[in-house]
Amino acid sequence: MRARWHFPRPLIELTATILAGLAAGALLILVFGHNPLLAYRALFIGAFGSLQDVLETLAFATPLMLTALTFSVGVRAGLFNIGAEGQMYVGAIGAIAVAGMVRLPAGLHLAAATAAGMLAGGLWAVVPALLKVSRGVHEVISTIMTNWIAFYLSTYLALNFLTGARGDSTRPALPTARYPVLTEDATLTAVIFVAVAFCLVVYLYLWGTRAGYELRLAGENPEAARYAGVNAGGVMVMSFVIGGLAAGLGGASQIIGRPPAWALYATLGNVVTLGFDGIGVALVGRNHPIGGVLAAFLFGALAHGGRLMEYQAGVPSELVRALNGLIVITLAVPELWTLLRRRLAP
Amino acid sequence: MSPARRRLRNYLLLGTAVALFAYALQRLGLGPISLLEAGLLAMTPLALAAVGECLNEKAGVVNIGMEGIFMISAVTGVWTAEAFNSGVMGLLGGAAIGAAVGLALGAISVYGRADQIIAGMGLNIFALGFIPFLLISLWAFPGIHLFPNELMVPRLFTPLGQISPVTVGAVAVAILAHFLLHRTVLGFRIKAVGERPEAVDVAGLRVDRLRLLTSTLGGALAGIGGAFLPLGWFGALVKEISAGRGFIALACVVFAGLEPMLALGAALLFGFADGFASAVAVTPGVKERIPFYFVSMIPYATTLVVVALVIGQRRFPRTVGRPYARE
């Protein structure tokens, strides 16, 4: 386990799987009558072509490192938590409720809106956690159901209690609750520092504290954890709640930390699928909080570069998300994927 | 709490829920027949996918990518239906692509020794991006595609209301799967390969082929279910067409403890919740009072509650989700 990080092999494996995913994507591009080389060239230039583009890529990476963290902390505790999507919607609602409806002094308002988003996400994650602990409901089922309930709840709240002037989105966050924009030409804001800091805190929690050790032990070897007296239910709830806080922050980051809207679209268009995208990010980041930050940069590049790919090569940018799925599938094959040894009990 | 008392409590809760439901129906003025029609339509894709997945998991392979198969086969089904100008051909197209995806996923699991949960989720994520991509690539219009009404699979008219022949087929498939599993040699082999693959191997049977067979079959059934969504039910194609139904089908499988007939029952239950929601959403006098958003939550909330109430201790095959390797 420890030796793996000193070894270049995982990097080689990762590069190989990502290349395999990209190759499969190239095949798709070819089948639908586009030029894959042109498409990938545009994708690359779009993502890294200029300093602005790199900053924009970072803006895209910000929510992804957080939703990746949700999945990673789940896997570390032996859970397959795919609830980031819904927790993120609810987090966005929590953030905009405080950022748009409450009046507070500048610094405090920003902190309160951020905390509201995180708390909303964390609370939403308690539902599948309790269902798992008390009734043994498998988290794949419970999190997908709560995701959809969150979708309708958030749309309802966005359209009925938080409506903006135009009706197609919520009211905008008040200027006192917005993260400062870092540069004129990109949508990157200071929220990225909060995101990275949160990943760092979770890393320190998992590898630096007793509770974090117990969480990892329960995920790695449930039997050993039981004999060591680890409270399995408590570990699961903790893992879900940390994940929920992360996803909630991810949702909030798209509202109070992303120009130009500073609001949640009524279709939830500026947050949807970011939660599921985090799964691929987490797997590429080897379910490590810091690995997730690095992997998020890669996936942020795909997301941002996809726009130029659509413009220059005519390949619909949705393909990028399909690429994400292909990379996940290639990562599932164990010669390339040995870290996760989870017991399966649906 | 003792198991008997717990069971009693569960039945009481279930009974109360049914009574409340019946009362609500009466208040809403929903006819039992329109509800039956809507419920059976919603049951069909769930039942097809769930029965297929029961067989698949009996053989020791897990596919949580049914959501992805639903989405891919819905689009492929409509495309095939338009190409052949026939809704039934569309269903076959859905079955074919579903079988292909099921086979691919099976091959990754059996030969690639993949983590099946991750591979299945990868399929779902892939579909999430691939479907909007396909819609634009095939019909040059984002997010939605309308097709001619003639392509809908014709419904059967009975004295009790309309029913889709696919619904009848889904019930037949569940019964057949039950007999296959419990009355035929192939069924025993499928069960054996999930419990003791090494014994099946020693007996000179091919573990890999049996597992590929069930995952292909499961994919094909889910593929029919996916093509049924636009061609037998909604009459249109949208990118969110599956809306979590692949996972509700998975809930049916868990609920049923891998028994096809129980899976059919679970599909009927969840189908009713879904049909109830669609029926309420269009009932005059009600749709104005209860926000559409809350009605839309009904199928998901029902699934959560039912799974939490009845899950108990289901027993799954010993090697479910784990690849087999010779010693």
Side-chain angles (χ1 to χ4, degrees), chain A residues 10-282:
Chain A
L11 267 182
I12 298 168
E13 287 177 1
L14 269 180
T15 317
T17 46
I18 291 163
L19 286 180
L22 288 178
L27 215 63
L28 270 184
I29 297 175
L30 204 62
V31 167
F32 285 92
H34 305 283
N35 181 344
L37 289 176
L38 201 68
Y40 282 155
R41 187 171 159 270
L43 186 74
F44 186 79
I45 295 176
F48 305 111
S50 67
L51 179 64
Q52 268 157 267
D53 286 319
V54 175
L55 294 173
E56 194 60 36
T57 288
L58 283 171
F60 275 97
T62 307
L64 296 180
M65 64 182 74
L66 292 164
T67 52
L69 189 63
T70 308
F71 184 78
S72 307
V73 179
V75 169
R76 290 292 173 182
L79 296 165
F80 198 85
N81 176 5
I82 46 180
E85 186 77 17
Q87 292 149 18
M88 192 188 53
Y89 302 157
V90 178
I93 287 288
I96 193 62
V98 172
M101 313 263 286
V102 183
R103 286 185 189 280
L104 283 170
L108 187 65
H109 197 185
L110 188 59
T114 310
M118 292 177 72
L119 279 179
L123 281 176
W124 197 252
V126 169
V127 178
L130 290 185
L131 283 172
K132 173 92 183 178
V133 173
S134 69
R135 303 293 311 168
V137 179
H138 198 272
E139 64 274 14
V140 167
I141 291 170
S142 61
T143 51
I144 294 287
M145 296 308 132
T146 48
N147 282 350
W148 279 97
I149 294 172
F151 177 81
Y152 287 111
L153 182 67
S154 303
T155 321
Y156 173 74
L157 292 174
L159 284 172
N160 286 282
F161 293 99
L162 302 159
T163 340
R166 294 230 317 274
D168 60 351
S169 65
T170 63
R171 60 185 64 203
L174 295 171
T176 45
R178 296 179 183 181
Y179 280 93
V181 181
L182 294 180
T183 118
E184 291 267 301
D185 316 302
T187 64
L188 184 66
T189 66
V191 77
I192 190 172
F193 301 124
V194 182
V196 174
F198 189 76
C199 293
L200 211 61
V201 167
V202 173
Y203 166 68
L204 293 175
Y205 170 80
L206 286 178
W207 272 272
T209 69
R210 187 192 154 88
Y213 173 75
E214 288 185 349
L215 189 149
R216 285 185 297 119
L217 182 66
E220 195 92 10
N221 191 339
E223 287 289 296
R226 206 158 54 85
Y227 283 116
V230 173
N231 174 0
V235 160
M236 281 181 196
V237 174
M238 196 64 198
S239 157
F240 267 111
V241 169
I242 294 174
L245 292 173
L249 179 59
S253 78
Q254 296 310 288
I255 309 303
I256 56 177
R258 194 87 187 262
W262 301 108
L264 179 64
Y265 297 133
T267 54
L268 310 189
N270 48 347
V271 290
V272 280
T273 73
L274 290 175
F276 286 124
D277 292 347
I279 298 171
V281 180

Side-chain angles (χ1 to χ4, degrees), chain B residues 29-325:
Chain B
L30 278 176
I33 289 192
S34 69
L35 194 74
L36 187 68
E37 285 178 353
L40 286 176
L41 283 175
M43 176 202 80
T44 307
L46 297 178
L48 285 166
V51 167
E53 181 61 9
C54 282
L55 293 177
N56 196 26
E57 290 194 18
K58 277 279 185 199
V61 189
V62 173
N63 175 7
I64 68 160
M66 282 179 291
E67 181 85 356
I69 296 185
F70 271 171
M71 292 164 89
I72 294 170
S73 56
V75 177
T76 316
V78 170
W79 185 80
T80 325
E82 288 188 348
F84 290 91
N85 205 18
S86 144
V88 178
M89 282 309 286
L91 292 180
L92 290 179
I97 194 80
V101 174
L103 176 67
L105 215 56
I108 292 178
S109 309
V110 171
Y111 300 116
R113 301 172 53 68
D115 186 309
Q116 295 164 16
I117 296 282
I118 292 175
M121 200 57 212
L123 175 60
N124 292 329
I125 297 172
F126 169 74
L128 221 51
F130 185 57
I131 291 322
F133 171 81
L134 254 186
L135 285 173
I136 293 182
S137 300
L138 293 177
W139 293 293
F141 196 81
I144 185 164
H145 174 66
L146 301 174
F147 54 87
N149 214 20
E150 304 89 83
L151 292 183
M152 290 289 283
V153 177
R155 305 234 171 108
L156 305 172
F157 292 90
T158 71
L160 279 174
Q162 297 180 26
I163 188 169
S164 174
V166 186
T167 307
V168 181
V171 174
V173 162
I175 296 170
L176 280 177
H178 177 82
F179 275 96
L180 170 76
L181 215 48
H182 298 298
R183 295 277 188 279
T184 67
V185 176
L186 180 62
F188 288 128
R189 285 177 181 168
I190 288 174
K191 283 189 282 188
V193 86
E195 292 289 348
R196 304 260 166 212
E198 57 280 355
V200 173
D201 197 7
V202 170
L205 295 163
R206 295 284 295 263
V207 173
D208 54 345
R209 285 191 192 159
L210 278 165
R211 288 185 168 175
L212 284 183
L213 174 75
T214 60
S215 63
T216 310
L217 185 65
L221 288 175
I224 298 174
F228 174 83
L229 292 173
L231 293 168
W233 185 8
F234 300 141
L237 197 56
V238 290
K239 67 176 160 52
E240 306 87 355
I241 191 152
S242 178
R245 291 191 179 83
F247 290 98
I248 296 183
L250 200 64
C252 292
V253 175
V254 173
F255 174 98
L258 307 188
E259 283 305 322
M261 292 309 287
L262 282 177
L264 181 69
L268 188 63
L269 181 64
F270 296 141
F272 260 105
D274 202 337
F276 175 66
S278 357
V280 166
V282 295
T283 307
V286 185
K287 62 179 178 189
E288 295 85 2
R289 253 178 288 169
I290 309 174
F292 153 81
Y293 306 97
F294 291 104
V295 174
S296 307
M297 290 177 195
I298 293 173
Y300 311 108
T302 311
T303 306
L304 264 189
V305 171
V306 169
V307 170
L309 279 182
V310 291
I311 192 161
Q313 285 299 310
R314 298 284 189 222
R315 203 194 148 277
F316 287 87
R318 204 172 56 89
T319 65
V320 71
R322 265 184 280 155
Y324 170 71

Side-chain angles (χ1 to χ4, degrees), chain B residues 10-27:
Chain B
N10 287 350
Y11 280 125
L12 280 177
L13 281 171
L14 204 66
T16 318
V18 170
L20 278 175
F21 185 67
Y23 176 72
L25 281 185
Q26 214 178 0
R27 292 292 306 237

